[in-house]
Amino acid sequence: MLRGVVRVYKEITPEKEITVFVRSKMDSVGEIGIFSGDTYSNSAQAMTETVLYVIERETMERIMAENGRIGLHFTRWIAESLEASKAKLRDYLSFGSEGAVASFFIRAANSSGKQMPDGILIKEQFAVQDIAKHLGISRETASRIISRWKQEQMLEKRYRHYLIKDLESFRQMLSCETCGVHNCVL
């Protein structure tokens, strides 16, 4: 991707989606279904004006067949992407809505967080509705969880940005110490 932001998501029902990941400049977006058939497992949506490079399946297969090193790098990229997606699903399914919201804030901190004296400021702006849509939960549920964390002083809203005051509580909630994913981002 030369520039822009792309959201890759899975449609659960016509009214409900879960964001699998968000990619931006110099990232790659791919669909493993390209090698297994005509049905894709996810959809993608440009969130901003985006310029992409495209490699057709036949070209990718030829490049990988001719250069084992590229094939190895591609395989590693796919494995890392699958591990990150699996960890995100683990957070959402094993720890419920609260775990999903905690996972969102950890990943947002890793993606666009800035260390401040009193916590980690998430530089990207997110409305409660954005968080809920990202996770496939209701706005009311996300709002209730975030409000409780604000009362418990784990989280604070500062000029349209969230400040995570107690990242360690979120990590403990999700047992992050047992997770092997190094690319834990949105």
Side-chain angles (χ1 to χ4, degrees), residues 2 6 15 19-20 45 73 95 97 117 124 134 139 148 158 164 173:
L2 182 62
V6 172
E15 301 84 33
T19 301
V20 179
Q45 173 186 24
H73 284 292
F95 301 103
S97 296
E124 193 170 343
H134 188 93
R139 185 194 57 74
R148 190 176 79 248
R158 233 183 237 179
I164 301 173
M173 189 183 308

Side-chain angles (χ1 to χ4, degrees), residues 18-29:
I18 293 177
T19 301
V20 179
F21 51 78
V22 177
R23 297 291 184 252
S24 58
K25 183 179 179 180
M26 302 313 291
D27 280 333
S28 297
V29 177

Side-chain angles (χ1 to χ4, degrees), residues 4-19:
V5 178
V6 172
R7 173 180 167 255
V8 176
Y9 63 93
K10 176 74 175 170
E11 185 177 293
I12 306 303
T13 67
E15 301 84 33
K16 188 175 183 178
E17 302 169 349
I18 293 177
T19 301

Side-chain angles (χ1 to χ4, degrees), residues 75-95:
T75 302
R76 285 184 181 146
W77 173 69
I78 291 292
E80 288 173 10
S81 293
L82 289 173
E83 281 298 312
S85 295
K86 185 175 79 173
K88 188 181 272 193
L89 287 174
R90 176 196 74 107
D91 294 346
Y92 295 3
L93 298 174
S94 299
F95 301 103

Side-chain angles (χ1 to χ4, degrees), residues 3-184:
R3 72 171 177 267
V5 178
V6 172
R7 173 180 167 255
V8 176
Y9 63 93
K10 176 74 175 170
E11 185 177 293
I12 306 303
T13 67
E15 301 84 33
K16 188 175 183 178
E17 302 169 349
I18 293 177
T19 301
V20 179
F21 51 78
V22 177
R23 297 291 184 252
S24 58
K25 183 179 179 180
M26 302 313 291
D27 280 333
S28 297
V29 177
E31 171 58 61
I32 197 69
I34 190 172
F35 296 111
S36 61
D38 295 328
T39 304
Y40 297 129
S41 59
N42 297 310
S43 299
Q45 173 186 24
M47 304 301 290
T48 63
E49 185 175 321
T50 301
V51 176
L52 301 170
Y53 297 109
V54 176
I55 301 175
E56 299 292 332
R57 175 174 49 188
E58 295 79 18
T59 304
M60 190 67 189
E61 288 174 348
R62 183 179 45 76
I63 290 169
M64 289 176 21
E66 292 172 359
N67 188 327
R69 184 169 271 163
I70 289 176
L72 179 61
H73 284 292
F74 182 78
T75 302
R76 285 184 181 146
W77 173 69
I78 291 292
E80 288 173 10
S81 293
L82 289 173
E83 281 298 312
S85 295
K86 185 175 79 173
K88 188 181 272 193
L89 287 174
R90 176 196 74 107
D91 294 346
Y92 295 3
L93 298 174
S94 299
F95 301 103
S97 296
E98 189 167 330
V101 178
S103 177
F104 176 88
F105 279 112
I106 290 170
R107 291 167 189 281
N110 292 340
S111 298
S112 70
K114 179 180 180 185
Q115 186 66 52
M116 306 294 279
D118 53 347
I120 299 173
L121 184 69
I122 299 173
K123 294 186 289 184
E124 193 170 343
Q125 295 179 13
F126 293 103
V128 172
Q129 182 63 39
D130 298 329
I131 296 168
K133 182 177 181 181
H134 188 93
L135 302 172
I137 62 176
S138 71
R139 185 194 57 74
E140 294 79 12
T141 299
S143 180
R144 181 179 39 79
I145 292 166
I146 291 168
S147 293
R148 190 176 79 248
W149 288 345
K150 286 179 185 176
Q151 289 174 346
E152 295 172 1
Q153 298 187 358
M154 294 169 59
L155 196 62
E156 181 180 305
K157 189 82 182 236
R158 233 183 237 179
Y159 312 109
R160 295 185 174 177
H161 297 273
Y162 284 98
L163 177 75
I164 301 173
K165 298 177 83 170
D166 188 3
L167 185 64
E168 192 54 37
S169 289
F170 293 140
R171 288 184 172 151
Q172 287 175 0
M173 189 183 308
L174 298 173
S175 302
C176 287
E177 69 279 358
T178 64
C179 180
V181 173
H182 300 291
N183 189 22
C184 190

